[in-house]
Amino acid sequence: MRRFAFLVLGLVCFPVLALTNVDLYQTEIVLEQSVDNADAKARVSGMKEIIVRASGDFDVTSNPVIQKALKQNSQYLSQISHGQREGLQTLKMGFSAPHIRSLLSQAQVPIWPAARANILVWLVEEVQYDRSVSWEHSDSKILTEMKAEAFKRGLPLTVPVGDFDDITGVSASDLWGGFARPVGEASQRYPVDAALVVRSDGNMLRWTLYDQKPATIGVTRQAPLSGSSAGKNASSKMINQISDYYAKKSSVIVASEPSETVKVRFKALKNAVDFFTLENNLKKLSSVASLDILKIQRDQVTFTVHLLTSQAKFEQEVGRMDKVIPLSNIIDSIPANHQEKEKELSGEVANSDLSYADGTYVDLIPAEQILMFEWRGTPIAVTTEEQQTPESVLEFDEIENEY
């Protein structure tokens, strides 16, 4: 009994952590029965919604890497089924969290963590000079639209239940007048991180966001944020403005998670024009997330290619490229100099890691496959004067210096 009393006391004395873990990777899209390939279009729409929710960036789907991935949406899906919502057929989708995070990393897009601030919403609506507070179960179109948009963006909202304590704790006139202290006092019974006061007057919404714990609202000098939106989609605009604020505040750039890579070497590049043309063409492939230049030597360039699809799909796309001829793949290994290794390795370790070959040490680095292709670019006409001054043609060493 004494232990139980201490447990209850602990729950009373310590603040509740209000951050809410948002389910970022589940969505349900209404199917457009009047269009062809309704399921395919719903999968793209669902993946866009998930990417926006996970990144916090409303415009993220215009990213070139994301655009490619949307065409390969099936490889990001972890579950899919049909359902019903308000009499309409829907497509329920679950996306793979590791795959989506890896995609955002490859696209160099910040990630908005799933643990997000919970916001208490005080909505006051004015109709013919009569102002009233909209509670959790109120039949409010504005509140319904706010909840729907907040779900899409992954913004946790809490709406007061409207019981005796709420009704007596704060009045519509206090909320409309912007009095901070009554808002803070009335909000303290809810385990939230912030309070949002919304004043609705026709198609105009004016909002004030107190981004602080309720106990400090009206007590500290921290200034609230404020804004407004108008028109048919005023509620959605407001939620997007607030979501953008929290995403910018909390998003982090995560180091790239492991993704499938392949090393590719192209030979017979004649000049800088060939190099940049080849690089740009590779970046446009739907299977390619990004490129790293590994080595440029004489007329050859070796890339490390980060893939969005399988290696087989990448090889097929490269094989269909103009001016590219597939060659036999090679196995590449890099020997290490004895003197350099002696500085790094002690005798016993060196004997186990190195073997003799013609009196020198050779590093036993595992062999690696490199895909080989030949580039057949269009020859560039060169004037007699330019032939006499080879320096006028950009050498690969100069390109390498640029990177």
Side-chain angles (χ1 to χ4, degrees):
M1 187 68 181
R2 181 179 297 177
R3 291 181 181 177
F4 178 75
F6 281 134
L7 175 61
V8 173
L9 181 62
L11 292 174
V12 172
C13 295
F14 291 98
V16 178
L17 296 177
L19 287 178
T20 300
N21 280 312
V22 179
D23 186 352
L24 301 178
Y25 305 103
Q26 301 285 333
T27 188
E28 184 177 10
I29 302 296
V30 175
L31 292 173
E32 298 182 49
Q33 300 295 343
S34 60
V35 300
D36 296 331
N37 300 320
D39 278 31
K41 291 185 178 181
R43 289 198 302 271
V44 173
S45 297
M47 186 169 172
K48 285 182 177 180
E49 183 177 304
I50 294 302
I51 290 173
V52 170
R53 188 185 301 162
S55 67
D57 184 353
F58 191 74
D59 300 318
V60 70
T61 53
S62 62
N63 181 291
V65 175
I66 302 297
Q67 285 285 328
K68 292 180 185 179
L70 289 171
K71 299 175 183 178
Q72 313 285 342
N73 58 76
S74 59
Q75 72 180 45
Y76 296 91
L77 279 165
S78 58
Q79 58 184 16
I80 187 169
S81 63
H82 287 88
Q84 292 280 336
R85 188 172 68 191
E86 298 178 359
L88 299 175
Q89 189 174 8
T90 63
L91 194 65
K92 297 180 178 180
M93 291 165 281
F95 288 82
S96 167
H99 285 77
I100 294 295
R101 286 196 299 264
S102 179
L103 171 62
L104 296 178
S105 298
Q106 291 170 358
Q108 299 181 347
V109 173
I111 295 175
W112 187 9
R116 303 183 178 181
N118 195 324
I119 305 169
L120 183 66
V121 177
W122 296 99
L123 171 62
V124 185
E125 300 187 63
E126 182 179 77
V127 179
Q128 296 181 349
Y129 304 103
D130 181 26
R131 296 167 184 165
S132 60
V133 180
S134 295
W135 308 112
E136 170 63 29
H137 299 292
S138 298
D139 183 18
S140 168
K141 181 181 178 182
I142 295 175
L143 197 56
T144 301
E145 292 174 351
M146 287 175 60
K147 290 179 180 178
E149 193 65 28
F151 174 78
K152 289 182 181 179
R153 293 300 304 269
L155 183 70
L157 297 182
T158 295
V159 182
V161 295
D163 59 9
F164 179 80
D165 289 339
D166 283 334
I167 294 172
T168 58
V170 67
S171 66
S173 58
D174 288 335
L175 297 171
W176 193 273
F179 298 107
R181 181 161 297 205
V183 172
E185 292 174 351
S187 302
Q188 289 183 39
R189 63 187 300 234
Y190 293 96
V192 294
D193 303 283
L196 174 67
V197 178
V198 183
R199 298 175 290 278
S200 170
D201 181 9
N203 289 329
M204 170 66 72
L205 293 181
R206 291 173 294 147
W207 55 268
T208 302
L209 174 65
Y210 299 93
D211 184 20
Q212 58 194 103
K213 290 291 185 180
T216 66
I217 297 175
V219 177
T220 65
R221 294 185 177 182
Q222 181 175 337
L225 288 79
S226 60
S228 63
S229 57
K232 182 179 179 181
N233 299 317
S235 301
S236 298
K237 293 176 184 176
M238 176 186 65
I239 293 297
N240 284 321
Q241 290 170 352
I242 296 170
S243 298
D244 290 345
Y245 162 75
Y246 277 104
K248 186 177 181 180
K249 175 183 176 181
S250 306
S251 293
V252 294
I253 298 178
V254 179
S256 296
E257 298 187 20
S259 60
E260 186 174 357
T261 62
V262 63
K263 287 185 171 56
V264 188
R265 181 173 296 163
F266 292 85
K267 58 186 296 185
L269 280 79
K270 298 180 177 61
N271 48 48
V273 174
D274 281 351
F275 169 79
F276 288 115
T277 302
L278 170 62
E279 184 186 36
N280 289 332
N281 288 348
L282 287 174
K283 288 180 178 178
K284 292 177 183 178
L285 298 180
S286 63
S287 58
V288 175
S290 61
L291 301 174
D292 295 325
I293 299 172
L294 189 62
K295 182 171 63 176
I296 299 175
Q297 186 176 14
R298 295 187 297 276
D299 66 341
Q300 299 183 2
V301 58
T302 306
F303 297 100
T304 297
V305 182
H306 300 268
L307 299 177
L308 285 171
T309 61
S310 66
Q311 178 177 321
K313 176 67 179 300
F314 169 74
E315 291 186 58
Q316 291 175 3
E317 286 195 315
V318 176
R320 292 195 294 266
M321 284 174 56
D322 188 28
K323 303 177 184 177
V324 170
I325 305 299
L327 303 175
S328 298
N329 299 338
I330 65 171
I331 303 298
D332 194 32
S333 59
I334 304 173
N337 181 273
H338 166 60
Q339 287 80 11
E340 293 175 345
K341 279 295 177 183
E342 272 192 329
K343 296 177 182 178
E344 301 175 8
L345 304 172
S346 61
E348 184 177 347
V349 177
N351 289 335
S352 64
D353 285 353
L354 306 176
S355 61
Y356 286 99
D358 299 330
T360 61
Y361 283 111
V362 177
D363 195 350
L364 297 181
I365 297 175
E368 189 172 22
Q369 178 179 256
I370 296 183
L371 306 183
M372 291 294 297
F373 298 90
E374 181 178 336
W375 174 258
R376 295 188 176 180
T378 304
I380 297 178
V382 182
T383 64
T384 304
E385 182 179 355
E386 288 175 331
Q387 290 174 350
Q388 294 173 354
T389 57
E391 296 81 0
S392 62
V393 179
L394 181 62
E395 297 294 339
F396 283 101
D397 287 342
E398 297 178 46
I399 299 173
E400 189 171 14
N401 290 335
E402 292 185 11
Y403 285 85

